[in-house]
Amino acid sequence: MNHGPGLSHPPYPSGLILAGRRVVIVGGGRVAARRLQAFIDAGAAVTVVSPEVDPAVREAANAGTVTLLEREYAPGDLSAAWYAMASTDRPAVNAAVLEEATAARIFCVRADDAPLGTAWTPAVGHHQETTVAVLANRDPERSRRTRDRLLEALRSPIDG
Ligand SMILES: C[C@@]1(CC(=O)O)C2=NC(=C\c3[nH]c(c(CCC(=O)O)c3CC(=O)O)Cc3[nH]c(c(CC(=O)O)c3CCC(=O)O)/C=C3\N/C(=C\2)[C@@H](CCC(=O)O)[C@]3(C)CC(=O)O)/[C@H]1CCC(=O)O
Ligand SMILES: NC(=O)c1ccc[n+]([C@@H]2O[C@H](COP(=O)([O-])OP(=O)(O)OC[C@H]3O[C@@H](n4cnc5c(N)ncnc54)[C@H](O)[C@@H]3O)[C@@H](O)[C@H]2O)c1
């Protein structure tokens, strides 16, 4: 079985219970903005560290649903986190974030170079009480398409 470029084993799927738990996102640009709502929906206590931010991140900060630190990453920012995401546009910074996370055994997505990270983000959908999460071998377009097909099947009267 092929598990995608850079992976010798498949990822282990897990439903993380993040309510009230600290999640730190370093780099608040487009990728962070796309993923932010799922963390908020999960009830996570999200902190974003980023000198500039996407408007969606700014909106969440203004609404008080995330804590925004408008500055560059500094070692120690992952303190007490359960989960982290390195999503800056600077590989050296993402590497430093991952290094801090790994030293503290905090699972960490690395948005620019997935095989180096310790977690991946699936394409997610919800139908009633069912959550669908798809990882497709580092092919996000395929994971999105598969997620949509699964949701369609769940919505159909036969499978739903
Ligand atoms: C499924 C989804 C979930 C979500 O993000 O919520 C997701 N990526 C999505 C979109 C998307 N990703 C990318 C583009 C722009 C270009 C394009 O179109 O190709 C777009 C489209 C867009 O932005 O619209 C580029 C990209 N992606 C990764 C890398 C780096 C690498 O592979 O090393 C690069 C190159 C960056 C660069 O060029 O530097 C890596 C990862 N992306 C993953 C998930 C993880 C597991 C994937 C899997 O196995 O399925 C994984 C492996 C790790 C992680 O990041 O967690 C979401 C679609 C679902 C939805 O829309 O609902
Ligand atoms: N995994 C994915 O699905 C995916 C999708 C597209 C792009 N990418 C990759 O992810 C990275 C981010 O992409 P993007 O489109 O969100 O970029 P972006 O330019 O929109 O956002 C990058 C953010 O990082 C912040 N930043 C820069 N230096 C920082 C520092 N020292 N500390 C904290 N924050 C800092 C910037 O202020 C900016 O807000 C890129 O490397 C890109 O190649 C990944």
Side-chain angles (χ1 to χ4, degrees), residues 6 16 40 80 92-93 108 120 126 140:
L16 298 183
I40 293 170
V93 175
C108 183
W120 286 11
H126 302 277

Side-chain angles (χ1 to χ4, degrees), residues 26-32 34-35 49-54 71-74 86-91 93-94 109-112 140:
V26 181
R30 280 159 293 185
V31 172
R34 184 173 74 232
R35 295 176 176 177
V49 183
S50 191
E52 286 164 42
V53 293
D54 182 277
R71 57 160 174 78
E72 295 201 342
Y73 163 75
S87 48
T88 81
D89 52 355
R90 290 167 55 189
V93 175
N94 292 340
V109 170
R110 185 159 166 181
D112 60 324

Side-chain angles (χ1 to χ4, degrees), residues 142-158:
R142 190 149 57 96
S143 59
R144 174 191 299 150
R145 216 169 43 240
T146 306
R147 184 261 326 269
D148 291 345
R149 291 180 62 198
L150 289 169
L151 287 176
E152 225 171 90
L154 286 170
R155 285 187 201 114
S156 82
I158 295 167

Side-chain angles (χ1 to χ4, degrees), residues 70-108:
E70 288 187 81
R71 57 160 174 78
E72 295 201 342
Y73 163 75
D77 281 346
L78 303 191
S79 168
W82 289 69
Y83 193 83
M85 185 163 76
S87 48
T88 81
D89 52 355
R90 290 167 55 189
V93 175
N94 292 340
V97 172
L98 179 64
E99 195 180 313
E100 181 182 344
T102 302
R105 303 291 189 268
I106 299 162
F107 282 101
C108 183

